[in-house]
Structure formats: C-alpha cells, structure tokens
Amino acid sequence: MMLAAFSATNLHYLLGGLGITIGVSVISIIISFIFGTLFGVVLYEEVPYFSRTLQLMVNTIRNLPLLLLIFFTYFALPKLGLELNAFAATVVAMSVFESTMISQIIRGGLLSVGKGQSEGALSTGMTKWEALWYILLPQGLKNSIPPLISQFISLVKDTSLATAIVLTEMTFRSQVIYGQNPNYMIPMFALITALYFIVNYSLSLLSKWFERRLSL
C-alpha cells in the first residue's frame, strides 16, 4: 500500500516541487551572496555613520524569524503597493534575511586575514581599495567558504517555510500527496528527506571542491 505513494504521477508532481525548491534556493543564494558580500565589506571598513546604520539594520533583520519576513513580503507589501507572488515573495524574504547572515560571515572572513597582508599591499603602492579587492577579499572569501556553505544549506532547508504562503515547493507537494492517503505519509517523508540530503550533500561536496581549487 505504501509503495503506491511512489506512482509515476506522484513522483512527477513531487520532483516539480523539487525544481521550485532549487529555483528559490539558487536565486536567493546568488542575490544574498552579492549583497551579503557588499554589506560585509562595508561593515569591515567601518565607513563613518553608514557602517553603524547598516550594522543596526543587519542586527535587527538577522534576529527576526524568517517566517515573519516571508509573511511580510507576501501579505504586507501588497498593502504598500508591491504585490508579489509566492515564489517572488519567498526569494525576496530569504535574500534579505540571508544577506544579513552572510554579511557577518564575510566580515569575519576579512577580519581573519592578518593585518600584515594589508600593510604589505599598501607598502607596494596599492590604494586601500585595491588592497581590499586584490589581497584581502580573495583570502577572506576563501576563509569564509565553510560557514558560507553551512549557511546556504540552511537556506535550502528553510525554503520549506514557504509552505505557509502556499508556495508549491517540495514539502508542500509532499503534504498534498499524503493528504490524499495517510498511508503515503511515511514514504513521502522518507523521499523528501533523501532529496534534501542529496541537494545539501552536493553543496558540501562543492564546498570541498572550491577549497581544494583555492588551495592550489
């Protein structure tokens, strides 16, 4: 009876949800990495006034529940004249939230680079920003790879929160399937567990590949 959960129709429907999960994850990772890196650099450089304001914003957002941000983008933004579908609302909420988390990782990575590196670059005639771009940032990003990958893995898992706004990603679709037959619940849980593992383990392998490449 349980094996009937793995019918071609159900698998096709569930894998469609996996595609949405991956789509949300990839777009959110790209956006949050770009903005998180920019924020991290600004926080590291301690730009007068601006860095303090940014730090306050980062600390505020990163201490909010992600689900609250998802609700805000989906239910509150339309009241302000910006209406987003479930996919876009999830991407916006996750990108904003993850950008603040990544900013702290990047800042920490930059701080882990010895001051001698910066001083050495400046002594060769580089400007402060050239030293940051060519010397500090590459090393800081290399040092940040393990925590970045951990954060990206958390992002992938957090896409399941979007079931609250009826985003038809993988977890939501599994609920639809076992809602038709309670006997399908355990097979669906087992299958989505395996799929999440495959996606996240792939990210871990990618992390190790990057570390090996950068160590050459």
Side-chain angles (χ1 to χ4, degrees), residues 3-213:
L3 292 179
F6 301 120
S7 67
T9 301
N10 287 345
L11 290 177
H12 183 268
Y13 181 67
L14 189 67
L15 291 177
L18 174 62
I20 293 175
T21 295
I22 293 175
V24 168
S25 300
V26 170
I27 296 172
S28 299
I29 285 172
I30 293 172
I31 294 174
S32 61
F33 178 72
I34 293 171
F35 282 97
T37 300
L38 291 174
F39 294 162
V41 169
V42 172
L43 294 174
Y44 171 77
E45 289 294 335
E46 298 182 347
V47 180
Y49 303 110
F50 187 60
S51 289
R52 288 188 178 183
T53 303
L54 180 61
Q55 185 68 66
L56 177 62
M57 182 195 76
V58 166
N59 287 339
T60 300
I61 293 176
R62 66 196 290 259
N63 285 294
L64 294 175
L66 176 55
L67 186 58
L68 177 63
L69 293 178
I70 293 174
F71 281 158
F72 178 82
T73 56
Y74 189 67
F75 295 112
L77 284 185
K79 304 297 182 183
L80 302 175
L82 182 59
E83 189 164 349
L84 302 173
N85 59 33
F87 187 96
T90 304
V91 168
V92 169
M94 298 196 74
S95 298
V96 169
F97 182 79
E98 294 298 330
S99 292
T100 64
M101 305 299 286
I102 290 172
S103 70
Q104 298 301 302
I105 294 174
I106 298 298
R107 178 174 176 270
L110 289 170
L111 289 172
S112 70
V113 180
K115 288 186 177 180
Q117 298 284 341
S118 178
E119 293 170 354
L122 294 175
S123 68
T124 64
M126 284 187 176
T127 65
K128 182 179 181 180
W129 292 105
E130 285 176 336
L132 173 67
W133 181 257
Y134 293 108
I135 306 299
L136 300 181
L137 191 56
Q139 294 185 61
L141 287 174
K142 178 182 176 181
N143 296 340
S144 301
I145 287 178
L148 278 175
I149 295 299
S150 295
Q151 193 61 44
F152 293 155
I153 289 173
S154 293
L155 184 155
V156 174
K157 292 185 288 188
D158 286 344
T159 57
S160 61
L161 293 173
T163 57
I165 59 171
V166 200
L167 177 67
T168 57
E169 47 75 65
M170 184 165 60
T171 301
F172 179 88
R173 294 195 180 199
S174 72
Q175 293 173 346
V176 171
I177 292 171
Y178 68 69
Q180 302 170 3
N181 187 331
N183 292 322
Y184 293 172
M185 184 178 293
I186 293 177
M188 283 299 104
F189 281 162
L191 183 55
I192 64 173
T193 297
L195 292 174
Y196 274 121
F197 174 79
I198 291 170
V199 172
N200 291 325
Y201 187 64
S202 298
L203 279 174
S204 299
L205 293 177
L206 183 63
S207 159
K208 293 176 181 178
W209 180 81
F210 269 120
E211 288 185 273
R212 286 197 300 270
R213 292 284 296 178

